[in-house]
Amino acid sequence: MSDCSKLTEAILNGDAKASVAITKEALDKKTDPQELVSKYMIPAMDEMGKRFETGDCFVPELLISARAMKASLELIRPLLAARGAEPVGRVVIGTMKGDLHDIGKNLVASMLEGAGFEVIDLGVDVGPGLFIAEAQAKKADLIALSALLTTTMPHMRAVIEELKKAGARDRFKVIVGGAPVTQRYADEIGADGYSDNANGAVGLARRLVTA
Ligand code: B1M
């Protein structure tokens, strides 16, 4: 497992070639993909966030680290998704309007797929109207909202308010998450559930579709 710490280093250095090579090697050696993500990749992004906060790195460095992380995730996503069994429900997912942070959302989407959900991924920068229109068109059970910026969190409330206006609030369960989001905020805006991580989001989604 000592080689895997090089994965953290490769992401910190924004070295996508190295991070992909190390990920491939680790997967070939049957390392648990979930462990790669939680033990070696997420800590690298957390460290980049700290460096950004303290002025020790800037947006370009964040971006190249994120690219390295995404390149490795491309290899891991199908493995996480392949863990699933029965289709249990349909989820529309995306990041909030104005929010381009999609690494966490992609992880949540993969884990949901892995748990047997059909996932309609709307991508990034999604306005409330599109969430609702797609959820209605695809007959989704759940709307899953991800925000990484405090400035984009209010759009979560907007989705719920728009659902109410459309008379469709009872039709969908709404779950929220992302680094600045809290259980308190979820309660305040009237979301049906909150999780601070991708695994938790899956448990939550399961509970909500069977409730
Ligand atoms: Co930016 N960024 N960023 N960034 N970025 C943060 C979020 C920040 C906290 C950094 C910091 O200051 N410490 C800060 C936000 C501050 C705030 O709002 N209070 C910030 C900022 C300020 C910005 C810009 C404004 C910078 C600028 O331009 N001046 C800008 C905004 C762009 C925009 O969105 N409009 C910006 C840009 C970027 C990049 C494009 C360079 C890049 C994103 C690339 C990409 O995603 N494709 C980036 C990155 C990489 C980060 C950090 C370093 C890492 C985010 C990440 O991917 N984490 C981040 C600092 C940090 O979080 N430590 C930061 C790893 C990921 C696995 O975790 O997304 O939290 P996360 O997802 C977790 C959970 O939150 C949860 O599960 C996931 C897995 O466990 N989860 C859910 C997520 N969604 C969920 C949904 C659920 C349930 C759980 O249910 C539906």
Side-chain angles (χ1 to χ4, degrees):
M1 187 51 71
S2 63
D3 277 347
C4 292
S5 59
K6 289 186 186 157
L7 178 55
T8 313
E9 211 179 299
I11 294 172
L12 287 173
N13 293 335
D15 187 344
K17 218 169 153 185
S19 71
V20 164
I22 298 163
T23 306
K24 268 189 188 144
E25 197 186 327
L27 294 175
D28 286 346
K29 287 182 183 162
K30 308 279 174 241
T31 307
D32 180 3
Q34 182 57 57
E35 190 181 331
L36 282 180
V37 172
S38 52
K39 220 166 147 186
Y40 299 99
M41 296 167 70
I42 291 180
M45 295 315 293
D46 284 344
E47 172 59 25
M48 287 306 288
K50 283 185 198 138
R51 290 183 189 179
F52 182 73
E53 257 173 26
T54 54
D56 292 317
C57 87
F58 301 96
V59 173
E61 284 99 333
L62 275 190
L63 203 49
I64 58 167
S65 284
R67 277 196 197 138
M69 170 126 177
K70 285 180 91 171
S72 284
L73 271 182
E74 287 301 311
L75 301 174
I76 291 174
R77 272 187 80 162
L79 300 174
L80 295 178
R83 290 180 167 186
E86 297 286 290
V88 282
R90 199 169 289 140
V91 187
V92 164
I93 192 169
T95 75
M96 307 318 298
K97 190 169 174 53
D99 207 321
L100 305 178
H101 296 85
D102 65 353
I103 296 175
K105 181 268 295 169
N106 291 344
L107 268 175
V108 174
S110 300
M111 302 283 290
L112 285 169
E113 270 170 12
F117 283 86
E118 184 185 331
V119 176
I120 299 121
D121 188 345
L122 303 179
V124 296
D125 188 20
V126 183
L130 185 59
F131 274 113
I132 296 168
E134 283 297 300
Q136 285 175 328
K138 303 281 163 39
K139 300 194 187 330
D141 305 291
L142 277 163
I143 301 178
L145 309 174
S146 177
L148 262 284
L149 295 170
T150 44
T151 50
T152 61
M153 279 169 61
H155 296 304
M156 292 177 156
R157 188 194 292 272
V159 171
I160 291 172
E161 293 307 317
E162 291 294 320
L163 276 173
K164 285 182 190 162
K165 274 190 212 153
R169 179 63 189 94
D170 295 340
R171 171 68 191 82
F172 308 102
K173 301 288 185 193
V174 179
I175 65 172
V176 294
V181 183
T182 59
Q183 181 65 58
R184 191 172 164 186
Y185 182 71
D187 293 341
E188 190 187 308
I189 64 172
D192 296 296
Y194 157 78
S195 168
D196 67 357
N197 65 75
N199 263 329
V202 171
L204 181 63
R206 275 207 185 107
R207 282 196 299 281
L208 286 169
V209 292
T210 53

